[in-house]
Amino acid sequence: ANGAPTNPVGVHSGVFVGGWSKEECEKAISSAKSAGYDLIEVNVSQPEILDGAMTKAVLEAHGLQAAGSLGLTPASDISSDDESVRREGKRTVSDALKVLKALGGTYFVGVNYSAMHKYARACTPQQWQHAVASLKELTAEAADYGITYGLEVVNRYETNMLNTATKAMEMLADVGAGNVVVHLDSYHMNIEEDSMALAVDVCGDKLGYVHIGESHRGYLGTGSVDFPALFRALAAAGYGGPLTFESFSSAVVSPSLSNTLCVWRILWEDPQDLASKARAYIDVNWAARPNTVL
Ligand code: FUD
């Protein structure tokens, strides 16, 4: 019989808070713990205002693991043709990695290879090469800190570079680092991939991080993502990494994230209810996944 997943199950900080003051940190971590999660993914897009030592203490007090994520901006795009923009991006990522190390996180994920925004043109060979060169440096720094660097595949409106698992695998091959993995997100897969199963299969053992998000980024099970197909593929692939629930509503506004992700709608108002139901949904649907590949 199928059981619940043994993977660490996480939740993105944006479910609970928009910033990371001490009060917000305590609220997010205690709420994640009481909703039954093992891990919290902290938005580290502003490393200069994130207190790593304080966060580590709160994590330890609640017995929670952490990951960190960000989306780079056009001013900090490590794939830019402009050298000074690349330098700013590498500084941001390097600072984020240092904060993540200080708070004890071992996964650095998100749109950490290009800007997270709508590009006005397709990715050029030069842009790709700039990303490869930047990532070679940054994955080496992450390796020194024991951090796995996950490249998140997102939809066409949020990057022009890695919109599919296949593209991410090409990037992994070009970067050639042992600690770089693919980060898939069901919300984005639902927009760009041929199927959940094919995307998971393409990554094989290079899949290192997974976001569990609904098609409208609200309550799990109320949209059009085929979670049973995704869970079947992940289990069949022997995926053992984090499964992190991600959801956004204009009930919780992040100055750095909400507008970038076009979070215009109130999809939920009670983070605790949302998070608890998502946690239960993951267990129930993982256990009930079909065994046969159709
Ligand atoms: C963006 C996304 C997020 C994002 C992260 C940054 O669409 O899916 O995972 O990269 O929220 O913290």
Side-chain angles (χ1 to χ4, degrees):
N2 292 327
T6 52
N7 310 55
V9 179
V11 58
H12 191 277
S13 59
V15 165
F16 305 108
V17 294
W20 205 254
S21 63
K22 187 164 195 289
E23 199 189 8
E24 287 167 315
C25 166
E26 279 171 349
K27 180 181 176 200
I29 290 171
S30 62
S31 302
K33 186 69 186 183
S34 67
Y37 291 90
D38 311 305
L39 176 150
I40 187 155
E41 182 182 317
V42 182
N43 178 352
V44 292
S45 61
Q46 290 173 293
E48 64 285 357
I49 57 165
L50 207 149
D51 186 337
M54 178 275 289
T55 305
K56 184 177 190 183
V58 179
L59 286 164
E60 284 176 355
H62 290 86
L64 217 66
Q65 305 168 43
S69 67
L70 55 68
L72 294 169
T73 69
S76 62
D77 181 352
I78 63 168
S79 73
S80 170
D81 289 340
D82 183 333
E83 207 246 316
S84 64
V85 171
R86 292 202 301 278
R87 201 177 325 117
E88 176 61 19
K90 286 189 275 186
R91 194 189 56 75
T92 302
V93 172
S94 174
D95 288 352
L97 289 170
K98 289 183 181 77
V99 162
L100 193 53
K101 177 179 170 235
L103 65 80
T106 53
Y107 290 93
F108 176 62
V109 298
V111 186
N112 49 22
Y113 51 86
S114 76
M116 182 166 77
H117 81 139
K118 185 181 178 302
Y119 282 80
R121 54 159 175 78
C123 180
T124 63
Q126 294 90 312
Q127 188 195 344
W128 182 273
Q129 284 313 322
H130 287 314
V132 171
S134 299
L135 287 171
K136 280 184 196 245
E137 288 177 37
L138 295 168
T139 54
E141 182 176 357
D144 287 344
Y145 305 156
I147 292 174
T148 298
Y149 202 110
L151 310 178
E152 184 176 17
V153 179
V154 297
N155 73 71
R156 64 191 70 188
Y157 306 109
E158 295 183 28
T159 185
N160 61 356
M161 192 172 274
L162 305 182
N163 298 145
T164 61
T166 300
K167 267 290 168 203
M169 289 301 284
E170 284 174 36
M171 182 56 86
L172 255 58
D174 285 359
V175 174
N179 63 327
V180 64
V181 296
V182 183
H183 166 191
L184 290 180
D185 178 321
S186 56
Y187 160 78
H188 298 290
M189 296 163 84
N190 184 58
I191 297 173
E192 300 288 356
E193 304 282 0
D194 293 347
S195 83
M196 295 285 157
L198 280 172
V200 169
D201 288 351
V202 158
C203 299
D205 64 3
K206 293 295 183 189
L207 182 60
Y209 200 85
V210 174
H211 270 167
I212 303 298
E214 191 46 279
S215 53
H216 46 38
R217 311 198 101 159
Y219 273 86
L220 294 186
T222 67
S224 60
V225 167
D226 189 351
F227 287 108
L230 175 62
F231 292 162
R232 181 188 59 213
L234 291 171
Y239 174 70
L243 299 168
T244 298
F245 172 56
E246 184 173 67
S247 179
F248 300 100
S249 165
S250 36
V252 173
V253 174
S254 157
S256 65
L257 213 50
S258 297
N259 291 348
T260 307
L261 302 185
C262 307
V263 180
W264 314 138
R265 294 161 63 195
I266 302 179
L267 286 156
W268 44 262
E269 293 189 81
D270 180 347
Q272 204 63 36
D273 183 63
L274 172 87
S276 305
K277 286 187 175 146
R279 185 67 192 82
Y281 183 91
I282 291 169
D283 274 357
V284 167
N285 285 275
W286 186 281
R289 71 191 184 276
N291 277 318
T292 43
V293 177
L294 300 174

